[in-house]
Coordinates of all heavy atoms in Angstrom, one line a residue:
M185 N -15.6 190.9 74.1 CA -15.9 190.1 75.2 C -16.1 188.6 74.9 O -15.6 187.7 75.6 CB -17.2 190.7 75.8 CG -17.7 190.0 77.1 SD -16.6 190.4 78.4 CE -17.3 189.5 79.7
F186 N -16.8 188.4 73.8 CA -17.1 187.0 73.4 C -15.8 186.3 73.0 O -15.5 185.1 73.3 CB -18.1 186.9 72.2 CG -18.4 185.5 71.8 CD1 -19.2 184.7 72.6 CD2 -18.0 185.1 70.5 CE1 -19.5 183.4 72.2 CE2 -18.3 183.8 70.1 CZ -19.0 183.0 70.9
G187 N -14.9 187.0 72.2 CA -13.6 186.5 71.8 C -12.8 186.2 73.0 O -12.0 185.2 73.0
R188 N -12.8 187.0 74.1 CA -12.0 186.7 75.3 C -12.5 185.5 76.0 O -11.7 184.7 76.5 CB -12.1 187.9 76.2 CG -11.1 187.8 77.4 CD -11.3 189.0 78.4 NE -11.4 190.3 77.8 CZ -11.9 191.3 78.4 NH1 -12.2 191.2 79.7 NH2 -12.0 192.5 77.8
M189 N -13.8 185.2 76.0 CA -14.4 184.0 76.6 C -13.9 182.8 75.9 O -13.5 181.8 76.5 CB -15.9 184.1 76.7 CG -16.4 185.1 77.7 SD -18.2 185.2 78.0 CE -18.9 184.4 76.6
I190 N -14.0 182.8 74.5 CA -13.6 181.7 73.7 C -12.1 181.4 73.9 O -11.7 180.3 74.1 CB -13.9 181.9 72.2 CG1 -15.4 182.1 72.0 CG2 -13.3 180.8 71.4 CD1 -16.2 180.8 72.3
R191 N -11.3 182.5 73.9 CA -9.8 182.3 74.0 C -9.5 181.7 75.4 O -8.6 180.9 75.5 CB -9.1 183.6 73.8 CG -7.6 183.5 73.7 CD -7.0 184.8 73.4 NE -7.6 185.9 74.2 CZ -7.7 187.2 73.8 NH1 -7.3 187.5 72.6 NH2 -8.3 188.1 74.6
G192 N -10.2 182.2 76.4 CA -9.9 181.7 77.8 C -10.3 180.3 77.9 O -9.6 179.5 78.6
T193 N -11.4 179.9 77.3 CA -11.8 178.5 77.4 C -10.8 177.6 76.6 O -10.5 176.5 77.1 CB -13.2 178.3 76.7 OG1 -14.1 179.1 77.4 CG2 -13.7 176.9 76.8
L194 N -10.4 178.0 75.5 CA -9.4 177.2 74.7 C -8.1 177.0 75.4 O -7.5 176.0 75.4 CB -9.2 177.8 73.3 CG -10.4 177.6 72.4 CD1 -10.1 178.3 71.1 CD2 -10.8 176.2 72.2
F195 N -7.6 178.1 76.1 CA -6.3 178.0 76.7 C -6.4 177.3 78.1 O -5.4 176.7 78.5 CB -5.7 179.4 76.9 CG -5.2 180.0 75.6 CD1 -5.6 181.3 75.2 CD2 -4.3 179.3 74.9 CE1 -5.1 181.8 74.0 CE2 -3.8 179.8 73.7 CZ -4.2 181.1 73.3
R196 N -7.5 177.5 78.8 CA -7.5 176.8 80.1 C -7.9 175.4 80.0 O -7.4 174.6 80.8 CB -8.6 177.5 81.0 CG -8.1 178.8 81.6 CD -9.1 179.4 82.5 NE -10.0 180.2 81.7 CZ -11.3 180.3 81.8 NH1 -11.9 179.6 82.7 NH2 -12.0 181.1 81.0
Q197 N -8.7 175.0 79.0 CA -9.1 173.6 79.0 C -8.7 172.9 77.6 O -9.4 172.2 77.0 CB -10.7 173.5 79.1 CG -11.2 174.1 80.3 CD -12.7 174.1 80.4 OE1 -13.3 173.7 79.4 NE2 -13.3 174.5 81.5
W198 N -7.4 173.1 77.3 CA -7.0 172.6 76.0 C -6.9 171.1 75.9 O -7.1 170.5 74.9 CB -5.6 173.3 75.6 CG -4.5 172.9 76.5 CD1 -4.1 173.5 77.7 CD2 -3.6 171.8 76.3 NE1 -3.0 172.8 78.2 CE2 -2.7 171.8 77.4 CE3 -3.4 170.8 75.4 CZ2 -1.7 170.8 77.6 CZ3 -2.4 169.9 75.5 CH2 -1.6 169.9 76.6
K199 N -6.7 170.5 77.1 CA -6.6 169.0 77.1 C -8.0 168.4 76.8 O -8.2 167.4 76.1 CB -6.1 168.5 78.4 CG -4.6 168.8 78.6 CD -4.1 168.2 80.0 CE -2.7 168.6 80.2 NZ -2.2 168.1 81.5
K200 N -9.0 169.0 77.4 CA -10.4 168.6 77.2 C -10.8 168.8 75.8 O -11.4 167.9 75.2 CB -11.3 169.3 78.2 CG -12.7 168.8 78.1 CD -13.7 169.6 79.0 CE -13.5 169.3 80.4 NZ -14.5 169.9 81.3
M201 N -10.4 169.9 75.2 CA -10.8 170.2 73.8 C -10.1 169.3 72.9 O -10.6 168.8 71.9 CB -10.4 171.7 73.5 CG -11.2 172.7 74.2 SD -12.9 172.6 73.8 CE -13.6 173.6 75.1
L202 N -8.8 168.9 73.2 CA -8.1 168.0 72.4 C -8.8 166.6 72.4 O -8.9 165.9 71.4 CB -6.7 167.9 72.8 CG -5.7 167.0 72.0 CD1 -5.6 167.6 70.6 CD2 -4.4 166.9 72.7
M203 N -9.2 166.2 73.6 CA -9.9 164.9 73.7 C -11.3 164.9 73.0 O -11.6 163.9 72.3 CB -10.1 164.6 75.2 CG -10.8 163.2 75.4 SD -9.8 161.9 74.8 CE -8.6 161.7 76.1
I204 N -12.0 166.0 73.0 CA -13.2 166.1 72.3 C -13.0 166.0 70.8 O -13.7 165.3 70.1 CB -14.0 167.4 72.7 CG1 -14.5 167.3 74.1 CG2 -15.1 167.7 71.7 CD1 -15.0 168.6 74.6
A205 N -12.0 166.7 70.3 CA -11.6 166.7 68.8 C -11.2 165.3 68.4 O -11.6 164.8 67.4 CB -10.5 167.7 68.5
F206 N -10.5 164.6 69.3 CA -10.0 163.2 68.9 C -11.3 162.3 68.9 O -11.4 161.5 68.0 CB -9.0 162.8 70.0 CG -8.6 161.3 69.8 CD1 -7.8 161.0 68.7 CD2 -9.0 160.3 70.7 CE1 -7.4 159.7 68.5 CE2 -8.7 159.0 70.5 CZ -7.9 158.7 69.4
T207 N -12.2 162.5 69.8 CA -13.4 161.6 69.9 C -14.3 161.9 68.7 O -14.8 160.9 68.1 CB -14.2 161.9 71.2 OG1 -13.3 161.7 72.3 CG2 -15.4 161.0 71.3
I208 N -14.4 163.1 68.3 CA -15.2 163.4 67.1 C -14.6 162.8 65.8 O -15.3 162.2 65.0 CB -15.5 164.9 67.0 CG1 -16.4 165.4 68.1 CG2 -16.0 165.3 65.6 CD1 -16.5 166.9 68.2
A209 N -13.3 163.0 65.7 CA -12.6 162.4 64.5 C -12.7 160.9 64.5 O -12.9 160.3 63.4 CB -11.1 162.8 64.6
L210 N -12.5 160.2 65.6 CA -12.7 158.8 65.7 C -14.1 158.3 65.3 O -14.2 157.4 64.6 CB -12.3 158.3 67.1 CG -12.2 156.8 67.3 CD1 -11.1 156.2 66.5 CD2 -12.0 156.5 68.8
G211 N -15.1 159.0 65.8 CA -16.4 158.7 65.5 C -16.8 158.9 64.0 O -17.4 158.0 63.4
A212 N -16.3 159.9 63.5 CA -16.5 160.2 62.0 C -15.8 159.2 61.2 O -16.4 158.7 60.2 CB -16.0 161.6 61.7
S213 N -14.6 158.8 61.5 CA -13.9 157.8 60.7 C -14.6 156.4 60.8 O -14.6 155.7 59.9 CB -12.4 157.7 61.1 OG -12.3 157.3 62.5
L214 N -15.0 156.1 62.0 CA -15.7 154.8 62.2 C -17.0 154.8 61.4 O -17.4 153.8 60.8 CB -16.0 154.6 63.7 CG -16.7 153.3 64.0 CD1 -15.9 152.1 63.7 CD2 -17.1 153.3 65.5
A215 N -17.8 155.9 61.4 CA -19.0 155.9 60.7 C -18.8 155.9 59.2 O -19.5 155.2 58.5 CB -19.8 157.2 61.0
S216 N -17.8 156.5 58.7 CA -17.5 156.5 57.3 C -17.0 155.1 56.8 O -17.3 154.6 55.8 CB -16.5 157.5 56.9 OG -15.2 157.3 57.5
A217 N -16.2 154.4 57.7 CA -15.8 153.0 57.4 C -17.0 152.1 57.3 O -17.1 151.2 56.4 CB -14.8 152.6 58.4
M218 N -17.9 152.2 58.3 CA -19.0 151.3 58.3 C -19.9 151.5 57.1 O -20.5 150.6 56.5 CB -19.8 151.5 59.6 CG -19.1 151.0 60.9 SD -18.7 149.3 60.8 CE -20.3 148.6 61.1
L219 N -20.1 152.8 56.8 CA -20.9 153.1 55.6 C -20.3 152.6 54.3 O -21.0 152.1 53.4 CB -21.1 154.6 55.5 CG -22.1 155.2 54.5 CD1 -23.5 154.6 54.8 CD2 -22.1 156.7 54.5
S220 N -19.0 152.7 54.2 CA -18.3 152.2 53.1 C -18.4 150.7 52.9 O -18.7 150.1 51.8 CB -16.8 152.5 53.1 OG -16.1 151.9 52.1
V221 N -18.3 150.0 54.0 CA -18.5 148.5 54.0 C -19.9 148.1 53.7 O -20.1 147.2 52.9 CB -18.1 147.9 55.4 CG1 -18.5 146.5 55.5 CG2 -16.6 148.0 55.6
M222 N -20.9 148.8 54.3 CA -22.3 148.5 54.0 C -22.6 148.7 52.5 O -23.4 147.9 51.9 CB -23.2 149.4 54.9 CG -24.6 149.1 54.8 SD -25.7 150.2 55.7 CE -25.6 151.7 54.6
L223 N -22.1 149.8 51.9 CA -22.5 150.0 50.5 C -21.7 149.1 49.6 O -22.2 148.9 48.5 CB -22.2 151.5 50.2 CG -23.1 152.5 50.9 CD1 -22.6 153.9 50.6 CD2 -24.5 152.3 50.5
D224 N -20.6 148.6 50.0 CA -19.8 147.8 49.1 C -20.1 146.3 49.1 O -19.9 145.6 48.2 CB -18.3 147.9 49.5 CG -17.3 147.4 48.5 OD1 -17.6 147.6 47.3 OD2 -16.3 146.8 48.8
V225 N -20.8 145.8 50.2 CA -21.1 144.4 50.4 C -22.1 144.0 49.3 O -22.0 142.9 48.7 CB -21.7 144.2 51.8 CG1 -22.4 142.8 51.8 CG2 -20.6 144.2 52.8
G226 N -23.1 144.8 49.0 CA -24.1 144.5 48.0 C -23.5 144.3 46.6 O -23.8 143.4 45.9
D227 N -22.5 145.1 46.3 CA -21.9 145.0 45.0 C -21.0 143.8 44.9 O -21.0 143.1 43.8 CB -21.0 146.2 44.7 CG -21.8 147.5 44.6 OD1 -23.0 147.4 44.2 OD2 -21.2 148.6 44.8
K228 N -20.3 143.4 46.0 CA -19.5 142.2 45.9 C -20.4 140.9 45.9 O -20.0 140.0 45.2 CB -18.6 142.2 47.2 CG -17.5 143.2 47.1 CD -16.6 143.0 48.3 CE -15.4 144.0 48.2 NZ -14.5 143.9 49.3
V229 N -21.5 140.9 46.6 CA -22.4 139.8 46.5 C -22.9 139.6 45.1 O -23.0 138.5 44.5 CB -23.5 139.9 47.6 CG1 -24.6 138.8 47.3 CG2 -22.9 139.7 49.0
N230 N -23.3 140.7 44.5 CA -23.9 140.7 43.2 C -22.8 140.2 42.2 O -23.1 139.4 41.3 CB -24.3 142.1 42.8 CG -25.2 142.1 41.5 OD1 -25.6 141.1 41.1 ND2 -25.4 143.3 41.0
Q231 N -21.6 140.6 42.3 CA -20.5 140.2 41.4 C -20.3 138.7 41.6 O -20.1 138.0 40.6 CB -19.3 141.0 41.7 CG -18.1 140.7 40.8 CD -16.9 141.5 41.1 OE1 -16.8 142.2 42.1 NE2 -15.9 141.4 40.3
E232 N -20.3 138.2 42.8 CA -20.1 136.8 43.1 C -21.2 135.9 42.5 O -21.0 134.9 41.9 CB -20.0 136.5 44.5 CG -18.7 136.9 45.2 CD -17.5 136.1 44.7 OE1 -17.7 134.9 44.5 OE2 -16.4 136.7 44.5
L233 N -22.5 136.4 42.6 CA -23.6 135.7 42.0 C -23.6 135.7 40.5 O -24.1 134.7 39.9 CB -24.9 136.3 42.6 CG -25.2 136.0 44.0 CD1 -26.5 136.7 44.5 CD2 -25.3 134.5 44.3
K234 N -23.0 136.7 39.9 CA -23.0 136.8 38.4 C -22.0 135.7 37.9 O -22.1 135.2 36.8 CB -22.6 138.1 38.0 CG -23.7 139.1 38.0 CD -23.3 140.5 37.4 CE -24.4 141.4 37.5 NZ -24.1 142.8 37.0
T235 N -21.0 135.3 38.8 CA -20.1 134.3 38.3 C -20.7 132.9 38.2 O -20.3 132.1 37.4 CB -18.8 134.2 39.3 OG1 -19.3 133.9 40.6 CG2 -18.1 135.5 39.3
F236 N -21.8 132.7 39.0 CA -22.5 131.5 39.0 C -23.4 131.4 37.7 O -23.6 130.3 37.2 CB -23.4 131.3 40.2 CG -22.7 131.0 41.4 CD1 -22.7 131.8 42.5 CD2 -22.0 129.8 41.6 CE1 -22.0 131.6 43.7 CE2 -21.3 129.5 42.7 CZ -21.3 130.4 43.8
G237 N -23.9 132.5 37.3 CA -24.7 132.5 36.1 C -26.0 131.8 36.3 O -26.7 132.0 37.3
A238 N -26.4 130.9 35.4 CA -27.7 130.2 35.5 C -27.5 128.9 36.1 O -28.4 128.0 35.9 CB -28.3 130.1 34.2
N239 N -26.5 128.7 36.9 CA -26.2 127.3 37.4 C -26.7 127.1 38.8 O -26.2 126.2 39.5 CB -24.7 127.1 37.4 CG -24.1 127.1 36.0 OD1 -24.8 126.7 35.1 ND2 -22.9 127.5 35.9
I240 N -27.7 127.9 39.3 CA -28.2 127.8 40.6 C -29.5 126.9 40.5 O -30.4 127.2 39.7 CB -28.6 129.1 41.2 CG1 -27.3 129.9 41.4 CG2 -29.3 128.9 42.6 CD1 -27.5 131.3 42.0
K241 N -29.5 125.8 41.2 CA -30.7 124.9 41.2 C -31.6 125.2 42.3 O -31.2 125.2 43.5 CB -30.2 123.5 41.3 CG -31.2 122.5 41.2 CD -30.6 121.1 41.2 CE -31.7 120.0 41.2 NZ -31.1 118.7 41.3
V242 N -32.8 125.5 42.0 CA -33.8 125.8 43.1 C -34.7 124.6 43.3 O -35.4 124.1 42.4 CB -34.7 127.0 42.7 CG1 -35.7 127.3 43.7 CG2 -33.8 128.2 42.4
V243 N -34.7 124.1 44.5 CA -35.5 122.9 44.8 C -36.3 123.2 46.1 O -36.0 124.1 46.9 CB -34.6 121.7 45.1 CG1 -33.9 121.2 43.8 CG2 -33.6 121.9 46.2
P244 N -37.4 122.5 46.3 CA -38.1 122.7 47.6 C -37.3 122.4 48.8 O -36.3 121.7 48.8 CB -39.3 121.7 47.5 CG -39.4 121.4 46.0 CD -38.0 121.5 45.5
K245 N -37.6 123.0 49.9 CA -36.8 123.0 51.1 C -36.6 121.6 51.6 O -35.5 121.2 52.0 CB -37.4 123.9 52.2 CG -36.6 124.1 53.4 CD -37.3 125.1 54.3 CE -36.5 125.3 55.6 NZ -37.1 126.3 56.5
Q246 N -37.7 120.8 51.6 CA -37.6 119.4 52.2 C -36.7 118.5 51.4 O -36.2 117.5 52.0 CB -38.9 118.8 52.5 CG -39.8 118.6 51.2 CD -40.7 119.8 50.9 OE1 -40.4 120.9 51.4 NE2 -41.7 119.6 50.2
T247 N -36.5 118.7 50.1 CA -35.7 117.8 49.3 C -34.3 118.3 49.2 O -33.4 117.5 48.9 CB -36.3 117.7 47.9 OG1 -36.2 119.0 47.3 CG2 -37.6 117.1 47.9
S248 N -34.0 119.5 49.5 CA -32.6 120.0 49.3 C -31.7 119.5 50.3 O -30.5 119.2 50.0 CB -32.6 121.6 49.4 OG -33.0 122.0 50.7
V249 N -32.1 119.2 51.6 CA -31.2 118.7 52.6 C -30.8 117.3 52.3 O -29.6 116.9 52.4 CB -31.9 118.8 54.0 CG1 -31.0 118.1 55.1 CG2 -32.2 120.2 54.4
L250 N -31.7 116.5 51.9 CA -31.4 115.1 51.6 C -30.5 114.9 50.4 O -29.5 114.2 50.5 CB -32.7 114.3 51.4 CG -32.6 112.8 51.2 CD1 -32.0 112.2 52.4 CD2 -33.9 112.2 50.8
S251 N -30.8 115.7 49.4 CA -30.0 115.6 48.2 C -28.6 116.1 48.4 O -27.6 115.7 47.8 CB -30.6 116.2 47.0 OG -30.8 117.6 47.2
D252 N -28.4 117.2 49.2 CA -27.1 117.8 49.5 C -26.3 116.9 50.3 O -25.1 116.7 50.1 CB -27.3 119.1 50.1 CG -27.7 120.2 49.2 OD1 -27.6 119.9 47.9 OD2 -28.1 121.3 49.6
L253 N -26.9 116.2 51.3 CA -26.1 115.4 52.3 C -25.6 114.1 51.7 O -24.5 113.7 51.8 CB -26.9 115.2 53.5 CG -27.1 116.4 54.5 CD1 -27.9 115.9 55.7 CD2 -25.7 116.9 55.0
Y254 N -26.5 113.4 51.0 CA -26.3 112.1 50.5 C -26.1 112.0 49.0 O -25.9 110.9 48.5 CB -27.4 111.2 50.9 CG -27.6 111.1 52.4 CD1 -28.7 111.7 53.0 CD2 -26.6 110.5 53.2 CE1 -28.8 111.7 54.4 CE2 -26.8 110.5 54.6 CZ -27.9 111.1 55.2 OH -28.0 111.1 56.5
E255 N -26.1 113.1 48.3 CA -25.9 113.2 46.9 C -26.8 112.2 46.1 O -26.4 111.5 45.2 CB -24.4 112.9 46.5 CG -23.5 114.0 47.1 CD -22.1 113.7 46.8 OE1 -21.7 112.7 46.2 OE2 -21.2 114.6 47.2
V256 N -28.0 112.1 46.5 CA -29.0 111.3 45.9 C -30.2 112.2 45.6 O -30.4 113.2 46.1 CB -29.4 110.1 46.7 CG1 -28.3 109.2 47.0 CG2 -30.0 110.5 48.0
D257 N -31.1 111.7 44.7 CA -32.3 112.3 44.4 C -33.3 112.0 45.6 O -33.6 110.8 45.8 CB -32.9 111.9 43.1 CG -34.2 112.7 42.7 OD1 -34.3 113.8 43.2 OD2 -34.9 112.2 41.9
G258 N -33.7 113.0 46.3 CA -34.5 112.8 47.5 C -35.9 112.4 47.3 O -36.7 112.7 48.2
G259 N -36.3 111.9 46.2 CA -37.7 111.5 46.0 C -38.5 112.8 45.7 O -39.6 112.9 46.2
S260 N -37.9 113.7 45.0 CA -38.6 115.0 44.7 C -39.6 114.9 43.5 O -39.9 115.9 42.9 CB -37.6 116.1 44.5 OG -36.8 115.8 43.4
A261 N -40.0 113.7 43.1 CA -40.8 113.5 41.9 C -42.2 114.2 42.1 O -42.7 114.8 41.2 CB -41.0 112.1 41.6
G262 N -42.7 114.1 43.3 CA -44.0 114.7 43.5 C -44.0 116.1 44.2 O -45.1 116.6 44.6
V263 N -42.9 116.6 44.5 CA -42.8 117.9 45.2 C -42.4 119.0 44.3 O -41.4 118.9 43.5 CB -41.7 117.8 46.3 CG1 -41.6 119.0 47.1 CG2 -42.0 116.6 47.2
Y264 N -43.2 120.0 44.2 CA -43.0 121.2 43.3 C -43.0 122.5 44.1 O -43.6 122.5 45.2 CB -44.0 121.2 42.2 CG -44.0 120.0 41.4 CD1 -45.0 119.0 41.5 CD2 -43.0 119.8 40.4 CE1 -44.9 117.8 40.7 CE2 -43.0 118.7 39.6 CZ -44.0 117.7 39.8 OH -43.9 116.6 39.0
L265 N -42.5 123.5 43.5 CA -42.6 124.8 44.1 C -43.9 125.4 43.8 O -44.4 125.2 42.7 CB -41.5 125.7 43.5 CG -40.0 125.4 43.9 CD1 -39.1 126.3 43.2 CD2 -39.9 125.6 45.4
K266 N -44.5 126.1 44.7 CA -45.8 126.7 44.4 C -45.6 127.9 43.6 O -44.6 128.6 43.6 CB -46.5 127.1 45.8 CG -46.8 126.0 46.6 CD -47.4 126.4 47.9 CE -47.7 125.2 48.9 NZ -48.1 125.6 50.2
E267 N -46.6 128.2 42.7 CA -46.5 129.3 41.8 C -46.4 130.7 42.5 O -45.6 131.5 42.0 CB -47.7 129.3 40.8 CG -47.6 130.3 39.7 CD -48.7 130.2 38.8 OE1 -49.5 129.3 38.9 OE2 -48.8 131.1 37.9
D268 N -47.1 130.8 43.6 CA -47.0 132.1 44.3 C -45.7 132.3 45.1 O -45.4 133.4 45.5 CB -48.2 132.3 45.3 CG -48.3 131.1 46.3 OD1 -47.6 130.1 46.1 OD2 -49.0 131.3 47.3
E269 N -44.9 131.3 45.2 CA -43.6 131.4 45.9 C -42.5 131.7 44.9 O -41.3 131.9 45.3 CB -43.3 130.2 46.7 CG -44.3 130.0 47.9 CD -44.0 128.7 48.7 OE1 -43.2 127.9 48.2 OE2 -44.6 128.6 49.8
L270 N -42.7 131.6 43.6 CA -41.6 131.8 42.7 C -41.0 133.2 42.8 O -39.9 133.4 42.5 CB -42.1 131.6 41.3 CG -42.3 130.1 40.9 CD1 -42.9 130.0 39.5 CD2 -41.0 129.4 41.0
G271 N -41.9 134.2 43.1 CA -41.3 135.6 43.2 C -40.4 135.7 44.4 O -39.5 136.6 44.4
K272 N -40.5 134.9 45.4 CA -39.6 134.9 46.5 C -38.2 134.4 46.2 O -37.3 134.7 47.0 CB -40.2 134.1 47.7 CG -41.5 134.6 48.2 CD -42.0 133.7 49.3 CE -43.3 134.2 49.9 NZ -43.8 133.3 50.9
V273 N -38.0 133.7 45.1 CA -36.7 133.3 44.7 C -35.7 134.4 44.5 O -34.6 134.4 44.9 CB -36.8 132.4 43.5 CG1 -35.4 132.0 43.0 CG2 -37.6 131.1 43.8
K274 N -36.2 135.5 43.9 CA -35.4 136.7 43.7 C -35.0 137.4 45.0 O -34.0 138.1 45.0 CB -36.1 137.6 42.8 CG -36.3 137.1 41.4 CD -36.9 138.1 40.5 CE -37.1 137.6 39.1 NZ -37.7 138.6 38.2
T275 N -35.7 137.2 46.0 CA -35.4 137.9 47.3 C -34.4 137.1 48.2 O -34.1 137.6 49.2 CB -36.7 138.2 48.1 OG1 -37.3 137.0 48.4 CG2 -37.6 139.1 47.3
I276 N -34.0 135.9 47.8 CA -33.1 135.1 48.6 C -31.8 135.8 48.7 O -31.2 135.8 49.8 CB -33.0 133.7 48.0 CG1 -34.3 133.0 48.1 CG2 -31.9 133.0 48.7 CD1 -34.3 131.6 47.4
F277 N -31.3 136.4 47.7 CA -30.0 137.0 47.6 C -30.0 138.4 48.1 O -29.0 139.0 48.3 CB -29.4 136.9 46.2 CG -29.4 135.5 45.7 CD1 -30.3 135.2 44.6 CD2 -28.7 134.5 46.2 CE1 -30.3 134.0 44.1 CE2 -28.7 133.2 45.7 CZ -29.6 133.0 44.7

């Protein structure tokens, strides 16, 4: 009896079942592609940052804009990073 019901459903509504299968396949492929991109981005960023090495200069926020735009020392003689903010440098990337 159960087999007859399943067979009848598949034969009578085969277009609907085909659309459902296509939708599930499309959703699974989209989810796997997004997951692949999400997991790969961190590795690529890490690889790019390793090419810089120790050549990253960390300056306080108010002096970085001036020195970047005009290529001058923005008067950062009296401005220092706070000791409790040094741990935040590692979280920037």
Side-chain angles (χ1 to χ4, degrees):
M185 182 70 179
F186 183 70
R188 191 183 317 162
M189 288 186 343
I190 297 293
R191 187 177 43 213
T193 302
L194 290 177
F195 285 128
R196 278 185 274 138
Q197 299 177 357
W198 65 273
K199 290 180 182 179
K200 186 185 282 188
M201 295 297 166
L202 186 65
M203 184 61 80
I204 289 171
F206 177 72
T207 304
I208 290 173
L210 185 65
S213 64
L214 180 65
S216 65
M218 293 297 288
L219 188 62
S220 174
V221 168
M222 184 185 75
L223 293 175
D224 194 40
V225 165
D227 294 336
K228 286 184 179 180
V229 168
N230 192 16
Q231 184 179 7
E232 287 292 324
L233 288 176
K234 282 184 181 179
T235 60
F236 286 116
N239 296 328
I240 297 176
K241 183 178 177 183
V242 178
V243 294
K245 188 176 183 179
Q246 61 268 24
T247 61
S248 64
V249 175
L250 185 62
S251 63
D252 284 346
L253 288 177
Y254 301 110
E255 296 178 0
V256 296
D257 186 22
S260 62
V263 181
Y264 298 103
L265 292 173
K266 296 178 183 175
E267 186 176 352
D268 58 344
E269 293 179 352
L270 284 177
K272 295 179 183 177
V273 172
K274 292 184 179 180
T275 62
I276 291 173
F277 307 110

